[in-house]
Amino acid sequence: MKLKAEDLAGMETRARAAFVNCLSGFKSANLVGTRNAEGKTNLAIMSSTVHLGSHPPLLGLVVRPGGDERHTLRNILETGVYSLNHVHSDFIAAAHQTAARYPSETSEFDEAGLTPTWEDGFAAPLVLEAKVRLGMELREHMPLEVNNTHLVIGEVVLAEVPEGSQRSDGSLDLVAAGSVALSGLDAYHEGVELKRMAYAKPGMPPRQI
Amino acid sequence: MKLKAEDLAGMETRARAAFVNCLSGFKSANLVGTRNAEGKTNLAIMSSTVHLGSHPPLLGLVVRPGGDERHTLRNILETGVYSLNHVHSDFIAAAHQTAARYPSETSEFDEAGLTPTWEDGFAAPLVLEAKVRLGMELREHMPLEVNNTHLVIGEVVLAEVPEGSQRSDGSLDLVAAGSVALSGLDAYHEGVELKRMAYAKPGMPPRQI
């Protein structure tokens, strides 16, 4: 099936959102934990985390204006910190529920039944139920004028991962950690490892690790 | 296991790259197809595609300077177009091989054994072996000064997806399409769907579709 720009523009709004959200491929599923200057916590599921670099360890997060994500962005800009918490297969429904547009008086932690946990010296809540939890410090905020979204760039200042999930080469076994992958707006998947590939070099055929 | 900023800074370079690349969670695996002004084609695997919006349909791509990705960025800026092609389970090894730092005289299509295919009126090569193929037009290029990476923002002007992979709500079944998910630098996974969740609303418990 082949769709051109005019076909995409002509799709019904919800169908287009469902379709276009699938086009990038599988996505991460992270709960973004924040609190505002008064200490009110907020939690929002997002699939737009992107790796920017490992030294310093930087991750980007695309945040749309409006809805719950507006609270998230405001809180990040107010406090300079946020957490990223992997969604795992045992709390998909609770994580997804944080996408509901709750009024600012309520905390999505309470509404979704997830538990805030705190680290000394870090002002944003992390998610107790998550096995991979990151404490992030805001490094740069760039409004993207092309469609009024915002790119939030943060540095990983704290990483909590399950004991035994780190391989000898430093990498993390996300299958063992039970992290899930999102596709589109609502489909949650576990990963089944097919292959690990050795570092690619010219003149050398591809090799599995 | 808990790592702080100083622990991450103290890791051996390769181990840190392997570790930090896993922290965002599962990632998309896309082959980025370009050609330069002279018509020379280039193909590079990247895991940094991020959804920006569906109307207009915009995707971001984080490109690092150096290595093969330098050719990709230069070609995108020269021609204004590029393709994104999902990696599927049947050509993981070939796709991974495009990460090797080939000299600019060679094309990764030839080196990896993948086949360029062309669409009328679109100046970048797509990958014949991919079942989900996107033609992208450059909309914005933002250097990210924080670590000298580049954010390339493009609009989807062409989307080719397998017949029968689109569900009635508009979404795409990436499991049926055979798209794979990356974790870290080298681990490729197939997805197994666990749950699809209905649109979340305050006052309504989470429901599966």
Side-chain angles (χ1 to χ4, degrees):
Chain A
M1 187 171 72
K2 195 183 295 190
L3 297 163
K4 298 196 168 182
E6 55 267 30
D7 302 319
L8 292 165
M11 286 175 82
E12 187 271 322
T13 305
R14 284 194 181 198
R16 181 175 49 229
F19 181 69
V20 176
N21 268 277
C22 294
L23 293 180
S24 63
F26 285 107
K27 303 185 283 190
S28 59
N30 281 290
L31 286 163
V32 185
T34 57
R35 70 171 177 184
N36 67 15
E38 287 76 46
K40 184 91 215 158
T41 60
N42 186 284
L43 192 65
I45 189 166
M46 297 196 196
S47 61
S48 59
T49 305
V50 63
H51 174 85
L52 293 184
S54 58
H55 189 46
L58 296 172
L59 300 176
L61 180 70
V62 176
V63 185
R64 287 174 302 136
D68 185 59
E69 298 179 354
R70 191 183 49 208
H71 302 148
T72 298
L73 181 62
R74 193 187 57 201
N75 292 352
I76 292 173
L77 298 178
E78 268 183 20
T79 64
V81 290
Y82 55 106
S83 70
L84 293 174
N85 308 269
H86 283 204
V87 176
H88 302 290
S89 48
D90 54 344
F91 61 88
I92 289 170
H96 188 79
Q97 187 62 20
T98 66
R101 298 186 175 216
Y102 291 107
S104 52
E105 307 84 67
T106 59
S107 169
E108 291 79 9
F109 280 102
D110 300 331
E111 297 291 341
L114 293 165
T115 316
T117 181
W118 302 86
E119 288 291 331
D120 278 351
F122 187 73
L126 297 106
V127 177
L128 184 65
E129 288 80 0
K131 297 186 204 87
V132 178
R133 298 193 275 255
L134 307 177
M136 307 292 301
E137 281 184 3
L138 177 65
R139 287 288 172 264
E140 207 164 324
H141 165 229
M142 301 172 77
L144 305 180
E145 288 174 16
V146 68
N147 71 343
N148 293 316
T149 53
H150 296 256
L151 177 65
V152 169
I153 298 177
E155 181 172 343
V156 183
V157 295
L158 175 73
E160 294 184 82
V161 302
E163 293 297 331
S165 65
Q166 195 179 21
R167 302 190 192 95
S168 58
D169 67 349
S171 67
L172 203 54
D173 186 342
L174 293 185
V175 175
S179 301
V180 298
L182 252 171
S183 79
L185 296 164
D186 54 29
Y188 294 83
H189 306 77
E190 63 183 358
V192 175
E193 191 176 294
L194 298 171
K195 285 178 188 173
R196 289 191 70 201
M197 300 299 302
Y199 189 79
K201 291 182 182 172
M204 296 255 294
R207 288 172 300 118
Q208 280 187 244
I209 295 177
Chain B
M1 188 172 71
K2 196 184 294 190
L3 297 163
K4 298 194 169 185
E6 55 268 31
D7 302 318
L8 292 165
M11 286 175 82
E12 186 271 322
T13 306
R14 283 194 182 198
R16 181 176 49 232
F19 181 69
V20 177
N21 267 276
C22 293
L23 293 180
S24 62
F26 285 107
K27 303 185 284 190
S28 60
N30 281 291
L31 287 164
V32 185
T34 58
R35 71 171 176 183
N36 67 14
E38 287 76 48
K40 185 90 214 156
T41 60
N42 187 283
L43 191 65
I45 189 166
M46 297 195 196
S47 60
S48 59
T49 305
V50 63
H51 175 85
L52 293 184
S54 58
H55 189 47
L58 295 173
L59 300 176
L61 180 70
V62 176
V63 185
R64 288 174 302 136
D68 185 58
E69 298 179 356
R70 192 183 49 208
H71 302 148
T72 298
L73 181 61
R74 193 187 56 200
N75 292 352
I76 292 173
L77 298 179
E78 270 183 20
T79 63
V81 291
Y82 55 106
S83 70
L84 292 173
N85 308 269
H86 283 203
V87 175
H88 303 289
S89 48
D90 55 342
F91 62 90
I92 289 170
H96 188 78
Q97 187 63 19
T98 65
R101 298 187 176 216
Y102 291 107
S104 52
E105 308 83 69
T106 58
S107 170
E108 291 79 9
F109 279 102
D110 300 331
E111 297 291 341
L114 293 165
T115 315
T117 181
W118 302 87
E119 287 292 331
D120 278 350
F122 188 72
L126 298 106
V127 176
L128 184 65
E129 288 80 1
K131 297 186 203 86
V132 178
R133 297 192 277 257
L134 308 176
M136 306 294 299
E137 280 183 5
L138 177 66
R139 287 289 172 262
E140 207 163 324
H141 165 228
M142 301 172 77
L144 305 180
E145 288 173 17
V146 69
N147 71 344
N148 293 315
T149 52
H150 297 255
L151 177 64
V152 168
I153 298 177
E155 180 172 344
V156 183
V157 295
L158 176 73
E160 294 183 81
V161 302
E163 294 296 333
S165 64
Q166 194 179 22
R167 302 189 192 96
S168 58
D169 68 349
S171 68
L172 203 54
D173 185 342
L174 293 186
V175 175
S179 301
V180 298
L182 252 170
S183 80
L185 295 165
D186 53 28
Y188 294 83
H189 305 76
E190 63 183 359
V192 175
E193 191 175 296
L194 297 171
K195 284 179 187 174
R196 290 191 70 199
M197 300 300 301
Y199 188 80
K201 292 183 181 173
M204 295 255 293
R207 290 173 298 118
Q208 279 187 244
I209 295 176

